[in-house]
Every structure is written in structure tokens, then in C-alpha cells.
């Protein structure tokens, strides 16, 4: 069982920055970030795989958010710049343990989830 512990988040004004962190108890095939706003479905934000070092971003965050890892590949960060009110959501990190048949951009591909952390962007 992979344990994921998240930190970071909070309240920031439009245009501000925040960094989220997620520490995994072991290395997995990929780590990703998803978010869910009230009344909306959970949506993909970013992901990084270790095999080939591929990274993926949702169109809505490209150029503003950056996913990275530490040198052990067990901690993943999400640097969020130029934040907008529409970025307000609960953010979740997730671990994809195998290559599988589902893409790293799909929530159903992930086996373990962090506890979530709130990001609120005020206008």
C-alpha cells in the first residue's frame, strides 16, 4: 500500500503563486495531480512518469504550473504560478503503480490518493 502525504496550499490572490508537495512512501510508475471544485468532477492537472520521464499537463494550466520531483522520485511538487480564481479547488496527488492500459491523465488509472489540500484564489 502506497501512502501519500500532501502539504502546501492555502489562500492566495489572483496572479500569486503556491507550491504543493506530495511525499509517497515508495516510488511508483507515475505521480499525478488532480483537482476538484465544488459541484464539479475531479479533473486532471499534471502528471509525471518515471519511465522516460514524461510529463503531462492539462491545457488549462500549461505555462503556469510545473510538476517536478526530488532526486528520489518519491516526492512530487506542483508549482503553481499566475493563479486564477478558476484554479480554486481541492487538489489531490495520486500514485499510478503500473504502466497499465489507462493514460496518466486519467483519474481511474491511479491506485492511491492523497488526503487533498485546498487552494483558494481570491479575485
Amino acid at each position: 500500500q502506497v501512502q501519500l502525504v500532501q502539504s502546501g496550499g492555502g489562500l492566495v490572490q489572483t496572479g500569486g503563486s503556491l507550491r504543493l508537495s506530495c511525499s509517497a512512501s515508495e516510488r511508483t510508475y507515475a505521480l499525478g495531480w488532480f483537482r476538484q471544485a465544488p459541484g464539479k468532477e475531479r479533473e486532471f492537472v499534471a502528471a509525471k512518469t518515471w519511465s522516460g520521464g514524461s510529463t503531462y499537463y492539462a491545457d488549462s494550466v500549461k505555462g503556469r504550473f510545473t510538476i517536478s520531483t526530488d532526486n528520489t522520485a518519491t516526492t512530487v511538487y506542483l508549482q503553481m504560478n499566475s493563479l486564477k480564481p478558476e484554479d480554486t479547488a481541492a487538489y489531490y496527488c495520486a500514485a499510478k503503480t503500473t504502466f497499465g492500459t489507462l493514460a496518466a491523465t486519467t483519474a481511474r488509472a491511479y491506485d492511491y490518493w492523497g488526503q487533498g489540500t485546498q487552494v483558494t484564489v481570491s479575485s
Side-chain angles (χ1 to χ4, degrees):
Q1 183 131 359
V2 178
Q3 295 181 337
L4 300 170
V5 179
Q6 296 180 223
S7 61
L11 174 64
V12 66
Q13 292 185 333
T14 296
S17 299
L18 285 173
R19 190 175 83 155
L20 306 181
S21 301
C22 175
S23 294
S25 56
E26 60 187 78
R27 184 182 297 189
T28 59
Y29 172 76
L31 286 172
W33 289 98
F34 291 77
R35 66 187 181 186
Q36 187 167 18
K40 295 187 177 181
E41 293 186 354
R42 189 167 297 190
E43 65 173 1
F44 169 74
V45 176
K48 185 173 179 66
T49 65
W50 313 137
S51 176
S54 298
T55 57
Y56 306 89
Y57 293 98
D59 288 342
S60 58
V61 307
K62 279 181 183 177
R64 301 188 299 121
F65 290 12
T66 302
I67 188 170
S68 62
T69 61
D70 68 350
N71 55 8
T72 68
T74 57
T75 298
V76 64
Y77 305 98
L78 186 68
Q79 177 66 43
M80 303 183 293
N81 298 329
S82 302
L83 283 161
K84 305 174 182 179
E86 51 263 44
D87 294 319
T88 296
Y91 283 71
Y92 298 88
C93 70
K96 186 177 189 286
T97 56
T98 62
F99 177 81
T101 58
L102 297 175
T105 57
T106 304
R108 291 187 295 114
Y110 290 80
D111 307 291
Y112 300 97
W113 293 82
Q115 79 275 19
T117 187
Q118 181 67 32
V119 171
T120 302
V121 184
S122 63
S123 56

